[in-house]
Amino acid sequence: MSKKKIWVLSDVFYPESFSSTGYFMTSIATHLAKYSEVTAITASKNSNHDKNQNEYYKGINIVRVNSLNFNENKLIPRLLKFISTTIKMFFHLLKNAKDGDKVFCVTNPAFIILLIPIIKKIYNNIEISILVYDVFPENLSATKIWSSNSILYKVTSLFYNYSYSKFDNIVTIGRDMKEIFKKKISKKNHIKIKLITNWAETEKVKPIKKSNNNIIKKLNLENKIVIQFAGNIGRAQGLEELISIFSKCDENKFHFLFIGDGAILNDLKLRTIKNKNISFLGSLPRKDQNNFLNACDIGLVTLKSNMFGLGVPSKSYNILAAGKPILCIANPNSEIALMVKSNDVGWVLDNSELNRIPDLLNRIFAERKKFNSLSKKCRKVVIENYSKNIILNKYKDLLI
């Protein structure tokens, strides 16, 4: 019996590992390739060639469509390159797909959402699924790029909601995101919405004694409770408000460690230039995550209230894999908050409860002897529920 054909569409793919989308889509495709013939259509690594590039990786046929050689640092040229790449990916699929094939794409590039349902009209028997990492156009409103009251936003929303309704499966990575999609499409289509969370790299990320961590040693933090934020330091995280609270915490008890880069990094540095209990280490490579995720006692996960249902910080699962409890500051009904509360692997504060942070931290300091048992629970929860094979097999069950 010949294998079923699955087309995977993502504008970032192997060997792109810095992008979480590239990492997750490559991992899913590699797993599916064990059971099906898989072809990934993605953007080219090199914008200077004239023809599509083809290569082979772990059972996956990779087609890289050539893109326009525009300056990505400028908005209009970047947008044109983005549109051009999307159209070329779509036409390659349109030309080569056959009835009986399956298509699995991600919400990146965003315009692919509007084009892919056209395939359903052309082919009589083709199944199309989409993995949602970014919710369009709601994320544009949440980040204040567009106003939700504008005509452009409302018209765009109608087009995207119609397109989403044409997919056979909509995979959301959080319960809160699933609720958002129930509002975006009609009730008769709710059965299409599936929940599959992201996973932890439990084989690569494991607990290490704090006293053995080179970052902890270098900063002399062995005797302090270290709370670490690792990830994009952008506007969606609400770090501007938190940083002023952290600055006032007892430097003899607590240290706050920020790892990553982003739009507000320089602003945060300027605000805390005189603070001894806050350190910024910049971006560190993914291959070093077992080291830097263990350079703390608590992992910090934050999302602004207006980001409810629009994103799920996937780093949360690797924080647990390192045996670290999570301090989650977000809507209490968001995915990570629900996960932390239901498994008792940390603490949750609503965005409106920031004034409670000092008292909570002092209570945590007083109960710090519980960290060892809490660490074991974190590791157990992630192994049993969020390990890579468990999650990848959910994609296999859905798509094979």
Side-chain angles (χ1 to χ4, degrees):
M1 181 182 293
S2 61
K3 290 183 177 181
K4 294 178 181 178
K5 180 72 173 281
I6 298 179
W7 298 87
V8 174
L9 275 71
S10 174
D11 75 336
V12 284
F13 202 74
Y14 166 85
E16 177 59 75
S17 60
F18 183 78
S19 160
S20 60
T21 300
Y23 163 73
F24 283 114
M25 289 300 287
T26 302
S27 297
I28 294 168
T30 301
H31 192 69
L32 295 176
K34 297 175 183 177
Y35 311 95
S36 295
E37 180 184 346
V38 175
T39 296
I41 307 174
T42 186
S44 172
K45 294 178 290 184
N46 179 7
S47 59
N48 294 319
H49 62 81
D50 297 323
K51 297 181 179 180
N52 294 348
Q53 293 177 329
N54 295 274
E55 58 187 277
Y56 190 78
Y57 172 75
K58 290 188 175 181
I60 308 167
N61 297 302
I62 303 176
V63 178
R64 301 187 187 277
V65 301
N66 61 317
S67 54
L68 298 174
N69 190 16
F70 285 157
N71 184 355
E72 293 191 26
N73 294 321
K74 295 183 179 181
L75 180 60
I76 299 302
R78 183 179 180 182
L79 183 62
L80 290 173
K81 182 175 182 178
F82 184 61
I83 294 171
S84 169
T85 301
T86 302
I87 292 173
K88 289 178 180 180
M89 290 171 66
F90 168 73
F91 275 107
H92 185 88
L93 176 65
L94 186 64
K95 180 181 177 181
N96 294 282
K98 297 178 181 178
D99 275 322
D101 288 352
K102 294 187 178 184
V103 177
F104 178 60
C105 62
V106 68
T107 50
N108 196 354
F111 292 147
I112 207 73
I113 300 164
L114 302 175
L115 295 177
I116 287 296
I118 297 172
I119 300 288
K120 296 287 289 185
K121 293 183 178 294
I122 297 174
Y123 292 95
N124 296 320
N125 180 27
I126 195 164
E127 183 180 293
I128 306 180
S129 304
I130 186 165
L131 170 57
V132 180
Y133 281 144
D134 297 300
V135 184
F136 292 99
E138 284 81 356
N139 60 335
L140 299 178
S141 173
T143 52
K144 298 181 179 179
I145 295 175
W146 282 0
S147 168
S148 59
N149 295 320
S150 69
I151 294 176
L152 182 59
Y153 176 88
K154 291 177 180 179
V155 171
T156 302
S157 184
L158 286 173
F159 277 108
Y160 269 94
N161 292 351
Y162 171 81
S163 297
Y164 279 123
S165 71
K166 298 303 177 183
F167 284 88
D168 293 285
N169 297 297
I170 300 171
V171 180
T172 64
I173 56 174
R175 284 163 279 188
D176 49 349
M177 188 179 287
K178 188 172 182 178
E179 291 305 311
I180 293 293
F181 270 86
K182 285 182 178 180
K183 297 175 183 177
K184 287 175 71 65
I185 62 178
S186 63
K187 286 186 178 180
K188 67 178 181 179
N189 287 320
H190 284 185
I191 195 172
K192 298 179 177 183
I193 309 172
K194 320 291 183 182
L195 171 63
I196 303 179
T197 67
N198 282 334
W199 63 80
E201 296 177 277
T202 52
E203 295 300 314
K204 296 180 179 179
V205 180
K206 300 177 181 180
I208 299 174
K209 283 187 178 180
K210 181 181 174 183
S211 57
N212 294 335
N213 186 273
N214 59 355
I215 296 175
I216 293 294
K217 289 179 180 179
K218 183 178 179 180
L219 297 176
N220 298 315
L221 300 176
E222 292 91 337
N223 299 317
K224 297 180 183 181
I225 289 183
V226 180
I227 300 169
Q228 179 192 105
F229 179 92
N232 179 45
I233 302 177
R235 294 183 175 85
Q237 286 71 36
L239 295 173
E240 303 97 318
E241 298 171 88
L242 287 173
I243 204 81
S244 61
I245 297 172
F246 294 161
S247 299
K248 298 172 184 176
C249 290
D250 189 341
E251 66 181 50
N252 295 312
K253 295 180 179 179
F254 306 102
H255 195 90
F256 301 90
L257 192 60
F258 289 84
I259 296 172
D261 200 352
I264 65 168
L265 176 60
N266 290 334
D267 180 48
L268 295 188
K269 285 182 175 180
L270 288 173
R271 293 188 188 198
T272 59
I273 196 167
K274 295 181 180 180
N275 290 96
K276 296 180 180 179
N277 68 335
I278 298 177
S279 298
F280 297 90
L281 299 187
S283 293
L284 297 177
R286 189 183 191 92
K287 64 182 178 65
D288 293 339
Q289 65 178 335
N290 193 47
N291 182 48
F292 65 73
L293 288 177
N294 276 285
C296 67
D297 298 285
I298 299 169
L300 176 64
V301 175
T302 69
L303 271 182
K304 282 185 174 181
S305 57
N306 64 353
M307 289 297 294
F308 177 79
L310 304 184
V312 178
S314 58
K315 63 183 179 183
S316 306
Y317 307 108
N318 276 339
I319 291 172
L320 294 182
K324 311 302 178 186
I326 293 173
L327 172 56
C328 177
I329 300 175
N331 186 308
N333 292 314
S334 60
E335 176 60 33
I336 299 305
L338 291 173
M339 183 268 288
V340 169
K341 289 187 293 184
S342 63
N343 293 289
D344 192 22
V345 287
W347 309 267
V348 175
L349 288 179
D350 187 83
N351 300 99
S352 62
E353 300 177 312
L354 300 187
N355 61 314
R356 292 181 52 201
I357 290 176
D359 288 341
L360 174 61
L361 291 182
N362 284 327
R363 178 162 61 86
I364 290 172
F365 184 84
E367 299 175 353
R368 60 192 182 279
K369 290 183 180 180
K370 297 180 180 179
F371 277 162
N372 283 339
S373 60
L374 187 53
S375 175
K376 292 177 182 178
K377 180 188 284 189
C378 292
R379 181 72 181 177
K380 184 173 185 290
V381 165
V382 80
I383 289 288
E384 293 179 353
N385 300 283
Y386 304 104
S387 59
K388 188 173 183 179
N389 271 344
I390 289 174
I391 304 302
L392 287 178
N393 281 330
K394 291 182 179 182
Y395 282 102
K396 173 196 166 187
D397 294 341
L398 178 67
L399 298 169
I400 299 301

